[in-house]
Amino acid sequence: ASQASIVNIIIFRFFKKYSSYPFLCVFFYYILAYHYFTMIVMRNAVAIVICLLANDYVLERKWKKAYLLYFIAVMFHYSSALFIIITPCLLFLRLNKLGLLFLASMLVVGNVLQSYFEDLFALLEFNAVVSNKLDGYLESGGFSTEGNNLNYYVFQLIMPVFYIGLSLYHVKKDDPQSDLLKMEPFVMIGLMFMMLRFNIGMLHRFSVAYEVYFILFIVQFFMNMYKTKKVLSNAVSLARTIVVFSPFLLFSIYTSIISDRYSPYHTVIDKKIEIKRENSFINTRGAESLPKKMNIN
């Protein structure tokens, strides 16, 4: 409960601070990231929301406060160390020709890194925790995307990148003075990790750290489209907007709310094991992640 309180309170306050539609942001957050943040990557989620606060100080060029929060985030999850390195270096990113070229180049970079991942893993053997985690990804096939089918690329990558990119483009076009645009570099960094995921599947842990920024722009685009009525009535304009977003929303609802990983859900009091859900967990995380005494057969 304390983890969920920390994560959700910070995210809700973030929506209230930066969006004119905080309740709609919460709805998108619920279908996109809520279950993942509060049921799967709990320590990482705490680190992610601390980085959100740090990023605000980065935008204000208050580097001491920013790096203090980054280091606190690292104490919750070591992956946050990467943000300390890349954030100051990539604040120049914008959705322009240079930014698009940079994103496209990540396909090449990801392919090159994938070819040398065994050598990269060897460099991290000094840290047992990191090394074991990477070995787990390697053994389960979670590092590479070579074994994934077309559905993975279309629904997990192409569709989100399309809606995020389209939302950022229209917010820039329709409201060039929007306060949201100061967070454009973080959206672009998140898209960078999405592009790298075409070759390196394990980077979903980093792209999800920018989910809150994605939601802010998607919601703003959603409402801008709804308000652009011209000769349309309110009902027709809303229906048009929902139709445009329906592929993204329906798939997000399926994967985040009604998938085998979350539903049906039982508490520790019930002590009931859902075999279908546990098998789904094994397929995505590996059998070594389960307690040895657990038997689901």
Side-chain angles (χ1 to χ4, degrees):
S2 58
Q3 184 271 352
S5 298
I6 293 171
V7 171
N8 292 324
I9 288 174
I10 292 177
I11 289 177
F12 293 170
R13 288 175 65 88
F14 204 79
F15 288 148
K16 182 179 179 181
K17 179 179 179 181
Y18 288 110
S19 178
S20 300
Y21 316 101
F23 292 105
L24 187 57
C25 287
V26 170
F27 168 74
F28 272 82
Y29 166 66
Y30 178 73
I31 66 174
L32 289 174
Y34 171 79
H35 295 82
Y36 189 70
F37 279 2
T38 58
M39 297 183 188
I40 302 296
V41 291
M42 298 175 69
R43 285 190 304 110
N44 193 17
V46 176
I48 286 172
V49 297
I50 293 175
C51 287
L52 288 178
L53 302 177
N55 291 341
D56 275 0
Y57 286 119
V58 168
L59 293 176
E60 298 173 5
R61 297 301 191 269
K62 297 179 180 179
W63 298 105
K64 291 182 180 179
K65 292 182 179 180
Y67 278 103
L68 175 61
L69 287 172
Y70 280 136
F71 283 120
I72 293 175
V74 170
M75 287 188 280
F76 281 94
H77 203 276
Y78 62 86
S79 63
S80 303
L82 182 63
F83 303 130
I84 298 176
I85 301 172
I86 68 169
T87 300
C89 299
L90 297 179
L91 287 177
F92 71 91
L93 284 176
R94 298 293 187 276
L95 188 63
N96 50 29
K97 292 182 179 179
L98 177 61
L100 292 174
L101 180 63
F102 178 84
L103 293 179
S105 70
M106 290 300 104
L107 294 174
V108 178
V109 172
N111 188 52
V112 171
L113 290 177
Q114 181 188 14
S115 302
Y116 293 97
F117 65 85
E118 290 186 0
D119 295 332
L120 294 173
F121 282 9
L123 296 175
L124 298 173
E125 288 184 351
F126 67 90
N127 188 311
V129 176
V130 176
S131 180
N132 290 337
K133 177 68 70 173
L134 293 176
D135 287 341
Y137 276 112
L138 182 60
E139 293 174 4
S140 64
F143 181 88
S144 174
T145 59
E146 292 180 353
N148 292 318
N149 56 27
L150 182 62
N151 289 336
Y152 169 81
Y153 292 100
V154 172
F155 294 107
Q156 297 283 355
L157 296 175
I158 295 176
M159 182 185 293
V161 168
F162 172 77
Y163 277 96
I164 296 165
L166 189 65
S167 299
L168 175 56
Y169 169 78
H170 275 280
V171 171
K172 290 190 66 171
K173 178 183 176 183
D174 300 336
D175 191 5
Q177 304 302 319
S178 173
D179 288 339
L180 279 182
L181 292 179
K182 67 182 181 181
M183 290 178 285
E184 183 179 1
F186 299 116
V187 177
M188 293 296 292
I189 295 172
L191 286 173
M192 176 194 74
F193 283 115
M194 295 288 289
M195 300 303 289
L196 288 171
R197 282 176 54 192
F198 276 86
N199 292 287
I200 308 174
M202 64 170 286
L203 291 182
H204 71 278
R205 284 291 190 116
F206 296 98
S207 62
V208 76
Y210 298 89
E211 198 78 48
V212 172
Y213 296 110
F214 297 161
I215 291 171
L216 287 171
F217 279 84
I218 289 172
V219 166
Q220 188 63 47
F221 175 44
F222 184 97
M223 292 305 299
N224 286 351
M225 178 176 289
Y226 165 66
K227 289 182 176 180
T228 306
K229 302 171 185 177
K230 295 183 180 179
V231 297
L232 300 178
S233 65
N234 289 343
V236 174
S237 180
L238 179 60
R240 176 195 61 180
T241 305
I242 292 176
V243 167
V244 170
F245 279 86
S246 60
F248 179 67
L249 291 174
L250 290 175
F251 179 76
S252 299
I253 291 171
Y254 172 76
T255 56
S256 180
I257 298 176
I258 63 176
S259 70
D260 295 334
R261 300 181 71 181
Y262 308 108
S263 179
Y265 182 76
H266 296 285
T267 68
V268 293
I269 298 176
D270 297 332
K271 295 184 178 180
K272 182 178 179 181
I273 297 176
E274 292 291 336
I275 296 177
K276 189 175 181 181
R277 185 175 68 238
E278 299 302 332
N279 285 334
S280 176
F281 181 83
I282 292 174
N283 291 334
T284 57
R285 299 291 295 274
E288 70 280 356
S289 300
L290 293 176
K292 293 182 180 179
K293 64 180 180 180
M294 181 177 288
N295 182 4
I296 63 173
N297 296 320

